[in-house]
Amino acid sequence: MAKRSVYFFGGGKADGNESMKELLGGKGANLAEMCSLGIPVPAGFTITTEMCTAYYTNKGKLPKVLEDEVAKAMAKVEKVMNKKFGDPKNPLLVSVRSGARRSMPGMMDTVLNVGLTSATIPGLVAKTKNERFVYDSYRRLIMMYADVVMEKAAGVEPAEGKGVRLQMEHAMEAMKKAKGYADDTQLTADDLKALADEFKKIVKKCLGKEFPDNAQAQLWGGIKAVFQSWNGKRAIAYRRIERIPDDWGTAVNVQAMVFGNTGETSATGVAFTRNAATGENLFYGEWLVNAQGEDVVAGIRTPSPINKATKGEQSAHLLSLEEASPKIYKQLDGIRLKLEKHYKDMMDIEFTIEEGVLWMLQCRVGKRTGMAAVRMAVEMAEAKLISKDTAIMRVAPIQLTELLLPMLDPKAEKVAKVLAKGLPAGPGGSVGQVVFTADDAAEWAGKGKKVILVRNETSPEDVHGMHVAEAILTAKGGMTSHAALVARGWGKCCIVGCGALNIEVAKKQMTVGGTVVKEGDWISMNGSQGKVFAGQVPVLPAQPELNPFYKKIMAWADAVRQINVRTNADSPADAEQAVKFGAEGIGLCRTEHMFFDPKRIIHMREMILAEDEAARRKAVMALLPFQRDDFYGLFKAMNGRPVTIRLLDPPLHEFVGGLTDAQIAELSKQTKISVDKINARIKQLHELNPMLGHRGCRLGIAYPEITEMQARAIFEAAAKLVKEKVKVSPEVMVPLIGTKAEMDNQAALIRAVAEEVQKEQKVKFAYMVGTMIEIPRAALTADKIAATAEFFSFGTNDLTQMGFGYSRDDVGGFLPYYLDKKILPEDPFEVLDQEGIGQLVAMAVERGRSTRPDLKCGICGEHGGEPASVKFCHRVGLNYVSCSPFRVPIARFAAAQAALETPRKCCTGKKCCKKADKKAEKKAVKKASKK
Ligand code: ADP
Ligand code: MG
Ligand code: MG
């Protein structure tokens, strides 16, 4: 426990600092830091996250000491601000703000203008001579307080559309309509006074209680409500998605109010020190005159850009802060530079101007798109603000996904019908069916549909729908609106402020220009340019190599990376794509996919139906030319890079299962085997537990001709290329090995064929024979197996299946409960279980290398492209990871981060494994080819 539960900041001094995020939350820690940096911050204090935990363990009671500490801190605030909380003559108002360790934008609650009561209102009016402002603040207080403290925190669950806030919003809309106002700012003091009275009546009617007319009661109500909001529905849902632990708790910040709503010389705004969407080094923000707090973010009025440089087509006519108040803009720009220099990162800031005086209300490291993350990291490193290593650590590997996102085909875009234009808040191209509510998005997506969620503006209640949507489109709001922030955080395609949309949620349709778009209609979005198109515009694969910042950061990453990255690919096209993405070899070529071609499947089926070896051999050999061509293409595409080919793996039943009677009749005609016999054979092949049945090396052992044919196809393709002077390095991989004897059996067959082919073709080529490690027994006996196997490739899908005893195909039945009840931290088929299955990997590497020190080890399961798993592979000494082509850049990057986090001495004892591995590889290949 910390010594105290309240930390003061103000007047250029602060008890806390930036490093105390755990205790003070991100907002509190950074308010303290800014204060110490001499940046103007309204005085206030932070109640620690420990008090939140205490609040929950004491079932909603706060420790007594807190009252004293708050009173003392409040006295300090009063002194700095020269006002008194609850004082009738010179009242201090405060905001009560939430603030967790990690920012959870809009998920928790904040109440502004706390301290306005019938006792303090007259004093504030007299002092400010601005009755309109006072009542504007008062109606805001009632609305926020009723919503946050009296409804949400109290656990009141109003019926749909009956929430207290919504009713107040309706009342305000009604008044505006009756008076013929377009804008909130047109409401007069008398209007607002009447509105405040009406709001209080709504509170009484809706919630059965009076709105509290006592400053202390408001303050403590607010504090408890913030703690309570940590366990609000939205906050919990957000934590699930972002994997934020439930026990962190939130801090509470109580801060003197500064007012952006006193009139034309006041304003409020939010900004990023650089463009959060593109990364461009330009101050980027939005502001609103005569407004308070959330007005900018909520999208109630369309905000203006803060400077000329960032005006777009839509905002060209709006007055920027730079033009309206050059002096304040200059001061703000100075703070921007100061913050970037101090934090060495792009910051997201909130500010308010009260009667021409600038105040900073928040700063935090800003969320950004993947595109922006890459550009900022590179530019900051080049400007020597950060090191190259830091630049690499700044980009989360998964953020690169965005640069690998498909884009709308520019040619097709030119002829497509543009429906509307908005602000480009999240990049990439996206095509989907329109839905108008978050619930519909969730429902449609649940049925496997691709949806685009279209809203007037989004609110934290919409996050579940936003998460499953392909893209998000809003009619209102700016680049800092809720929709933009959330989409950016997730790397989602998003367009906001698309004013041309006329959305009718009740009718589930919108009109854009003259076009009616109904629920389920297709639209396409170019999130990088903010364009919305009718219909389905074709998409093109990404070309990250055209992005100079991507190229630079990947080059830096490759220079520090210590393991290799290969790809899982079965076709030359996939292989070529992967090489473009930086793949250094093929770690897994699955051969079974090659048999489903209509010209081939017949031979496959013939083989399966064959009654004796001779017939089987004949059918198998008919497949040889096809396979040889496949491998020839693949080797050629890889041009000397290692290619690991896995021999036939799935149970034979998969090739004849699900045939209709008509198909069986046809098969009978083709193979001249009777229908009865075919049916009998299919029945015979049926297994109760095929995943543990006759598959993998068990096939090659029962039917050696399958292994022989595949080996021959591989080696004949190799021989052909050697003759054509193309380099090849085949690695033949036997699946599902559990014992050394199995490996001996198959390796002998494969090596015999290799010798034969080399003799027949009169050429020499290097090759390797190895195994997958995917059965726990193989991991346990890896030292024995390594006597025969020249390489190991961890098939972590099966290893996870057999290690956990979870059927890969049936895990869906219970996994959701396991994740929900935290029996498992995550899906072990997605993220490698380092604690358990990881031990099998580490052990097999160690035991294998005890027999064969230069044993090459890699991974070819799905985990090979998952950043945390890649880092694990680096740490346990694998030579490479292999993943699907589109994950290759992510794996390269994760491997680089792993090398920076835990640089390793490789198995050969050299500092940089990559080079050493290459040498070891060459040596092993040479040795193997001599056999
Ligand atoms: P969030 O975490 O959702 O951003 P905040 O606590 O930052 O919530 O508050 C919401 C809004 O109220 C912000 O725009 C912020 O700038 C404004 N605000 C908070 N405290 C004050 C204050 N003391 N004076 C003026 N505006 C404030
Ligand atoms: Mg904020
Ligand atoms: Mg397997």
Side-chain angles (χ1 to χ4, degrees):
M1 275 294 251
K3 271 195 244 109
R4 50 166 107 178
S5 41
V6 174
Y7 286 71
F8 170 80
F9 56 84
K13 289 200 199 78
D15 295 337
N17 63 55
E18 187 216 345
S19 71
M20 297 164 74
K21 288 205 179 78
E22 286 185 18
L23 194 61
L24 305 181
K27 199 179 287 167
N30 284 329
L31 281 169
E33 188 80 10
M34 279 201 289
C35 203
S36 306
L37 284 173
I39 290 170
V41 173
F45 55 86
T46 306
I47 304 173
T48 63
T49 52
E50 287 176 353
M51 287 298 109
C52 183
T53 319
Y55 172 82
Y56 281 105
T57 39
N58 298 338
K59 305 215 162 53
K61 280 222 182 68
L62 288 169
K64 186 85 187 63
V65 288
L66 186 62
E67 258 175 58
D68 303 340
E69 286 196 50
V70 164
K72 273 191 204 137
M74 188 64 100
K76 279 190 177 174
V77 176
E78 288 170 340
K79 204 168 157 208
V80 173
M81 300 307 286
N82 200 18
K83 294 175 188 170
K84 257 186 136 68
F85 187 64
D87 188 81
K89 289 225 175 66
N90 182 21
L92 169 74
L93 303 190
V94 296
S95 60
V96 180
R97 318 172 65 186
S98 57
R101 272 194 224 180
R102 241 188 26 228
S103 96
M104 297 167 57
M107 289 301 132
M108 287 184 306
D109 296 311
T110 286
V111 185
L112 304 182
N113 310 328
V114 168
L116 271 181
T117 62
S118 54
T120 56
I121 287 174
L124 194 62
V125 173
K127 198 166 164 256
T128 59
K129 299 188 183 58
N130 189 342
E131 199 175 19
R132 187 199 177 274
F133 146 70
V134 176
Y135 280 98
D136 183 52
S137 305
Y138 192 44
R139 64 96 188 165
R140 289 172 189 266
L141 167 67
I142 303 169
M143 186 186 267
M144 277 185 265
Y145 195 91
D147 174 38
V148 170
V149 184
M150 301 177 77
E151 188 174 276
K152 284 207 189 92
V156 178
E157 291 214 19
E160 179 72 29
K162 293 277 179 249
V164 69
R165 181 175 205 126
L166 200 66
Q167 295 201 36
M168 291 183 188
E169 274 169 11
H170 287 328
M172 190 160 134
E173 279 308 311
M175 174 174 281
K176 274 163 69 185
K177 209 166 185 184
K179 306 256 169 177
Y181 302 150
D183 213 293
D184 293 2
T185 49
Q186 289 170 284
L187 292 162
T188 64
D190 285 336
D191 294 337
L192 292 161
K193 207 187 270 180
L195 206 55
D197 283 337
E198 200 179 338
F199 279 12
K200 282 195 271 187
K201 281 193 198 119
I202 295 176
V203 171
K204 184 77 207 278
K205 202 177 102 225
C206 252
L207 301 163
K209 279 189 208 150
E210 296 288 344
F211 177 74
D213 197 27
N214 172 295
Q216 285 294 333
Q218 288 175 3
L219 174 67
W220 287 99
I223 292 172
K224 285 190 181 179
V226 168
F227 285 150
Q228 197 65 36
S229 71
W230 175 255
N231 272 348
K233 254 202 234 157
R234 295 174 292 160
I236 291 175
Y238 187 84
R239 288 204 293 274
R240 285 282 164 309
I241 296 168
E242 296 283 321
R243 297 198 172 134
I244 295 175
D246 287 331
D247 58 9
W248 278 5
T250 179
V252 181
N253 301 287
V254 176
Q255 188 177 24
M257 283 300 301
V258 288
F259 301 100
N261 59 334
T262 65
E264 292 304 303
T265 55
S266 297
T268 182
V270 293
F272 295 97
T273 57
R274 298 182 186 215
N275 187 324
T278 64
E280 194 180 3
N281 188 5
L282 278 178
F283 196 15
Y284 200 98
E286 290 167 330
W287 74 305
L288 265 181
V289 170
N290 197 8
Q292 191 178 45
E294 303 286 58
D295 291 3
V296 179
V297 187
I300 295 165
R301 283 152 61 193
T302 300
S304 312
I306 55 165
N307 51 20
K308 286 180 278 185
T310 58
K311 281 188 183 183
E313 258 173 68
Q314 276 90 3
S315 53
H317 62 288
L318 298 171
L319 188 67
S320 70
L321 177 62
E322 188 180 16
E323 293 157 297
S325 330
K327 252 176 88 184
I328 295 180
Y329 177 75
K330 215 174 142 210
Q331 189 193 353
L332 188 64
D333 194 49
I335 291 173
R336 163 204 180 211
L337 297 175
K338 190 169 192 171
L339 287 175
E340 273 212 351
K341 212 165 157 198
H342 180 72
Y343 285 92
K344 302 184 188 308
D345 205 342
M346 184 273 276
M347 305 301 286
D348 168 348
I349 60 181
E350 288 176 4
F351 63 91
T352 281
I353 300 164
E354 179 182 314
E355 319 239 296
V357 180
L358 175 66
W359 295 93
M360 299 304 294
L361 286 167
Q362 191 174 331
C363 85
R364 62 183 171 209
V365 170
K367 287 205 160 67
R368 59 203 74 179
T369 63
M371 197 96 75
V374 168
R375 174 162 184 179
M376 284 173 196
V378 169
E379 290 188 335
M380 285 184 187
E382 287 182 332
K384 302 262 187 297
L385 192 62
I386 55 175
S387 68
K388 279 186 188 171
D389 289 357
T390 306
I392 293 169
M393 296 309 297
R394 273 287 164 80
V395 180
I398 207 74
Q399 284 187 298
L400 295 175
T401 318
E402 265 168 60
L403 287 90
L404 309 168
L405 279 183
M407 307 291 292
L408 296 186
D409 178 352
K411 278 204 202 105
E413 260 186 58
K414 273 202 190 115
V415 294
K417 177 173 166 196
V418 180
L419 278 180
K421 276 189 88 177
L423 302 172
S430 190
V431 181
Q433 289 175 280
V434 171
V435 290
F436 295 98
T437 70
D439 288 339
D440 286 334
E443 194 188 322
W444 286 52
K447 291 184 195 145
K449 296 198 170 147
K450 291 184 165 189
V451 296
I452 292 180
L453 178 60
V454 183
R455 303 282 291 158
N456 269 317
E457 65 221 343
T458 64
S459 79
E461 265 91 14
D462 293 325
V463 285
H464 64 293
M466 298 166 79
H467 194 238
V468 296
E470 297 287 312
I472 299 154
L473 172 62
T474 70
K476 297 189 182 168
M479 290 293 274
T480 48
S481 65
H482 178 262
L485 283 182
V486 173
R488 207 170 290 140
W490 289 333
K492 239 181 232 292
C493 176
C494 177
I495 298 175
V496 297
C498 200
L501 309 185
N502 196 338
I503 304 173
E504 295 164 276
V505 180
K507 284 197 199 159
K508 298 203 172 187
Q509 68 172 42
M510 61 176 170
T511 17
V512 197
T515 317
V516 178
V517 180
K518 294 208 169 74
E519 182 182 59
D521 286 353
W522 289 87
I523 59 169
S524 305
M525 285 170 43
N526 177 336
S528 314
Q529 292 175 356
K531 286 187 195 151
V532 185
F533 301 94
Q536 303 181 56
V537 176
V539 284
L540 282 184
Q543 290 182 289
E545 61 279 7
L546 300 183
N547 177 332
F549 305 105
Y550 168 87
K551 265 177 75 173
K552 264 189 202 146
I553 206 159
M554 290 311 283
W556 298 347
D558 284 341
V560 298
R561 174 160 62 89
Q562 292 179 299
I563 60 174
N564 290 309
V565 176
R566 298 194 189 181
T567 190
N568 298 351
D570 318 336
S571 71
D574 277 1
E576 274 156 24
Q577 178 65 59
V579 169
K580 273 200 201 135
F581 282 160
E584 294 159 308
I586 290 181
L588 175 63
C589 164
R590 299 178 173 90
T591 51
E592 55 272 17
H593 293 175
M594 300 172 167
F595 293 118
F596 282 100
D597 180 286
K599 276 193 215 125
R600 309 175 180 194
I601 188 80
I602 170 75
H603 300 297
M604 192 65 190
R605 291 182 177 145
E606 241 173 353
M607 176 203 93
I608 293 167
L609 298 172
E611 290 175 321
D612 53 39
E613 200 202 313
R616 193 162 45 240
R617 190 168 282 275
K618 195 170 149 234
V620 168
M621 286 305 161
L623 289 166
L624 176 68
F626 294 112
Q627 283 257 279
R628 191 173 49 218
D629 287 353
D630 293 334
F631 298 138
Y632 176 84
L634 212 52
F635 291 153
K636 198 162 174 174
M638 292 312 284
N639 193 20
R641 295 180 185 86
V643 177
T644 306
I645 293 163
R646 180 178 71 184
L647 301 182
L648 194 63
D649 183 51
L652 295 181
H653 187 255
E654 283 188 14
F655 297 96
V656 289
L659 288 181
T660 61
D661 287 348
Q663 281 172 313
I664 291 180
E666 178 65 23
L667 187 60
S668 163
K669 231 166 75 194
Q670 286 173 318
T671 56
K672 300 189 181 63
I673 301 172
S674 75
V675 169
D676 285 350
K677 273 197 179 151
I678 295 179
N679 278 323
R681 176 73 176 139
I682 291 175
K683 218 168 146 194
Q684 185 197 10
L685 282 172
H686 178 75
E687 291 175 320
L688 285 179
N689 202 341
M691 281 312 240
L692 302 177
H694 196 173
R695 55 174 284 228
C697 68
R698 299 158 204 171
L699 289 170
I701 288 171
Y703 310 126
E705 49 283 358
I706 299 179
T707 301
E708 281 171 41
M709 181 281 285
Q710 290 200 292
R712 181 162 278 277
I714 293 167
F715 296 130
E716 287 187 0
K720 196 166 161 204
L721 285 161
V722 170
K723 286 185 192 164
E724 292 169 15
K725 306 246 177 309
V726 179
K727 284 197 192 124
V728 281
S729 77
E731 301 177 345
V732 184
M733 179 156 81
V734 187
L736 225 65
I737 289 291
T739 74
K740 176 172 185 292
E742 287 172 330
M743 187 65 209
D744 289 346
N745 172 295
Q746 292 292 291
L749 280 180
I750 297 162
R751 291 195 176 120
V753 175
E755 294 318 306
E756 259 171 49
V757 172
Q758 297 190 62
K759 250 190 227 138
E760 287 163 17
Q761 306 284 331
K762 301 195 178 60
V763 290
K764 283 265 170 214
F765 48 76
Y767 68 96
M768 291 175 96
V769 182
T771 181
M772 294 197 59
I773 301 288
E774 52 188 336
I775 291 183
R777 194 187 188 282
L780 295 168
T781 58
D783 49 341
K784 312 234 161 50
I785 291 171
T788 313
E790 291 162 312
F791 65 87
F792 285 174
S793 176
F794 290 92
T796 45
N797 302 342
D798 266 315
L799 198 57
T800 299
Q801 165 166 273
M802 288 185 245
F804 267 103
Y806 296 162
S807 160
R808 270 154 83 174
D809 303 318
D810 303 312
V811 74
F814 58 89
L815 191 63
Y817 300 101
Y818 270 46
L819 295 177
D820 197 49
K821 295 191 193 320
K822 296 185 194 146
I823 306 281
L824 286 176
E826 46 229 326
D827 178 351
F829 290 101
E830 203 181 302
V831 181
L832 184 72
D833 160 47
Q834 300 181 12
E835 184 186 33
I837 305 302
Q839 279 196 50
L840 289 170
V841 176
M843 176 199 294
V845 171
E846 204 185 301
R847 294 197 177 169
R849 287 193 181 140
S850 72
T851 304
R852 188 186 290 270
D854 58 358
L855 182 74
K856 183 151 65 166
C857 297
I859 180 175
C860 62
E862 289 301 312
H863 305 102
E866 191 282 314
S869 311
V870 171
K871 292 183 177 183
F872 172 81
C873 292
H874 162 92
R875 291 197 300 271
V876 298
L878 297 199
N879 302 73
Y880 68 86
V881 296
S882 186
C883 56
S884 68
F886 286 92
R887 295 226 136 211
V888 166
I890 296 165
R892 279 161 66 198
F893 207 73
Q897 290 191 343
L900 292 174
E901 285 163 0
T902 37
R904 89 182 193 202
K905 277 196 179 168
C906 76
C907 45
T908 50
K910 301 262 168 53
K911 185 146 177 279
C912 175
C913 231
K914 235 176 94 192
K915 275 188 207 135
D917 286 347
K918 283 230 162 88
K919 254 195 208 156
E921 200 171 294
K922 264 192 199 148
K923 217 175 84 193
V925 167
K926 229 189 224 157
K927 209 165 88 194
S929 62
K930 272 191 208 128
K931 272 181 207 138

